[in-house]
Amino acid sequence: MQANQHSTQPVQKLAVIGAGTMGTGIAIVAARGGCKTFIVDHRAGLAERAIDQAKIFLDRSVNKGKLTVHERDEIIDRMHAVDRLDQLADVDLVIEAVFESLQVKHEVFQALNQVCKPSCLFASNTSTISITEIAGGSGRDDRFIGLHFCLPAQLMKLVEVSRGISTSDECFERAWAFCEQVGQRPVHTQDTPGFVLNYFLIPFNNDAIRLVEQGVASPTDIDVAIKTALGYAMGPFELLDLVGMDTQLLLCEAMHGLTHEKRAVCPPLVKRMIAAGRLGKKTGIGFHRYSDQKIFGA
Ligand code: NAD
């Protein structure tokens, strides 16, 4: 579905809450798309780290000839690490990318609702939690929308745009226009667990993990099989290492809690890997090993 009209003011100032895997990528997309981008994380130093990671990613784009040095510097100049929510009073849009927990998301939006101007839109990057439910605890459910970016956000163009029950038409159209403004490809999905992508991906990735648990094939062989036969850019274990086992567990719990779909149950191997610190790329080892501890797949 396309929005009918995009006669809305462009987003000039934006905040990303949560400077983890997704928040960092979303901040790059927003700053690259011309928005002054504030980054907040409750853990000291993580917002600054996100900007450092953006520099590494953008340097690579310069080396590939996709960006000039001047453009890179302008993008970085638009990124600002902030440590207080009251510094977000004037932003046009907030995109939340904190842990996949309804309670944490409600706490974040309740605090934001106290400081952000009334016209500011709230968006959640949740993968599995109902937009209507998060919106219900935000204090502005008419100006609340799901904007589900894909991993790695700075490379993947798709954004699933999902409205909650009370989302206004104006909010939907402004959010859709924002996606286009920053060069993303929005699609409209209903507010259902997993939207389109994770409805497929969570059970699919769990099936792949169960094949490894059963000793049917190694992660490397499964990755090669899927990429070679199905033409996917990444195999399931390459993707899982990028997603992170900690996040995969939360995604499975949220999706299974809502759907009771057996294939959404988190395989025991994921919990054992978390206990062993094998979270994926972010800890240097998951189903594969990584020598440079890079977070980005590029
Ligand atoms: P992550 O664990 O990498 O990052 C979450 C960040 O949020 C952390 O840096 C944490 O310190 C911060 N945070 C937690 N509570 C906070 C608070 N109260 N205030 C400020 N910062 C806080 O997680 P992620 O993989 O980036 O996932 C974030 C969201 O994006 C989740 O809702 C997830 O479902 C969704 N998502 C994840 C993926 C994926 O593949 N990893 C893809 C699409 C969407």
Side-chain angles (χ1 to χ4, degrees):
M1 176 183 156
Q2 300 282 329
N4 292 329
Q5 54 182 28
H6 297 160
S7 59
T8 51
Q9 289 295 314
V11 170
Q12 289 177 338
K13 294 182 192 163
L14 169 146
V16 176
I17 316 295
T21 307
M22 290 308 295
T24 301
I26 294 168
I28 294 172
V29 171
R32 194 174 54 196
C35 304
K36 186 168 185 176
T37 303
F38 300 96
I39 308 167
V40 184
D41 199 289
H42 67 162
R43 281 153 65 193
L46 285 201
E48 290 80 1
R49 190 190 70 169
I51 298 176
D52 290 341
Q53 289 175 343
K55 283 182 191 143
I56 294 169
F57 173 76
L58 295 171
D59 278 346
R60 238 175 276 150
S61 302
V62 171
N63 292 339
K64 288 178 187 164
K66 293 180 179 172
L67 215 58
T68 66
V69 170
H70 179 65
E71 286 167 336
R72 176 200 62 196
D73 293 345
E74 281 188 333
I75 296 169
I76 294 297
D77 284 349
R78 285 195 284 269
M79 301 179 85
H80 306 273
V82 294
D83 50 16
R84 292 194 334 269
L85 290 187
D86 62 13
Q87 294 168 279
L88 308 181
D90 199 26
V91 298
D92 305 309
L93 171 66
V94 175
I95 303 179
E96 165 275 310
V98 303
F99 300 136
E100 188 73 333
S101 149
L102 183 61
Q103 189 189 335
V104 174
K105 289 180 191 295
H106 274 166
E107 285 166 10
V108 166
F109 282 116
Q110 278 157 16
L112 287 166
N113 195 37
Q114 303 300 315
V115 296
C116 293
K117 63 185 179 186
S119 61
C120 173
L121 300 185
F122 285 174
S124 176
N125 185 51
T126 181
S127 302
T128 50
I129 304 174
S130 157
I131 298 302
T132 301
E133 252 189 289
I134 307 174
S138 72
R140 51 179 87 181
D141 57 358
D142 56 328
R143 286 151 288 161
F144 198 104
I145 193 120
L147 289 181
H148 184 239
F149 289 73
C150 305
L151 180 70
Q154 67 278 20
L155 295 176
M156 303 289 278
K157 291 289 172 206
L158 183 71
V159 182
E160 292 175 292
V161 183
S162 310
R163 42 196 311 173
I165 283 179
S166 305
T167 304
S168 68
D169 289 345
E170 185 196 342
C171 173
F172 176 77
E173 283 165 17
R174 283 174 61 197
W176 188 280
F178 161 74
C179 294
E180 294 181 333
Q181 176 194 333
V182 296
Q184 297 296 109
R185 174 69 174 92
V187 295
H188 184 199
T189 71
Q190 293 302 314
D191 179 19
T192 55
F195 309 116
V196 174
L197 263 194
N198 282 308
Y199 182 86
F200 291 123
L201 270 183
I202 292 173
F204 175 82
N205 287 341
N206 285 344
D207 287 347
I209 297 167
R210 288 191 187 97
L211 283 185
V212 169
E213 286 180 327
Q214 292 161 23
V216 172
S218 71
T220 301
D221 284 332
I222 294 172
D223 280 346
V224 170
I226 297 297
K227 287 190 290 186
T228 307
L230 301 183
Y232 288 13
M234 275 187 270
F237 297 101
E238 290 166 329
L239 181 60
L240 280 161
D241 278 356
L242 213 51
V243 169
M245 299 314 136
D246 47 349
T247 301
Q248 176 68 8
L249 174 62
L250 292 176
L251 294 179
C252 290
E253 286 177 348
M255 185 145 183
H256 183 257
L258 291 165
T259 62
H260 303 290
E261 159 66 60
K262 269 201 315 201
R263 290 171 64 225
V265 173
C266 194
L269 179 56
V270 171
K271 294 181 187 166
R272 289 188 9 242
M273 290 176 70
I274 293 170
R278 297 183 176 210
L279 301 186
K281 274 203 161 186
K282 59 180 140 186
T283 57
I285 181 166
F287 286 101
H288 301 292
R289 283 181 188 275
Y290 304 88
S291 53
D292 54 2
Q293 304 243 347
K294 279 187 306 212
I295 282 188
F296 295 126

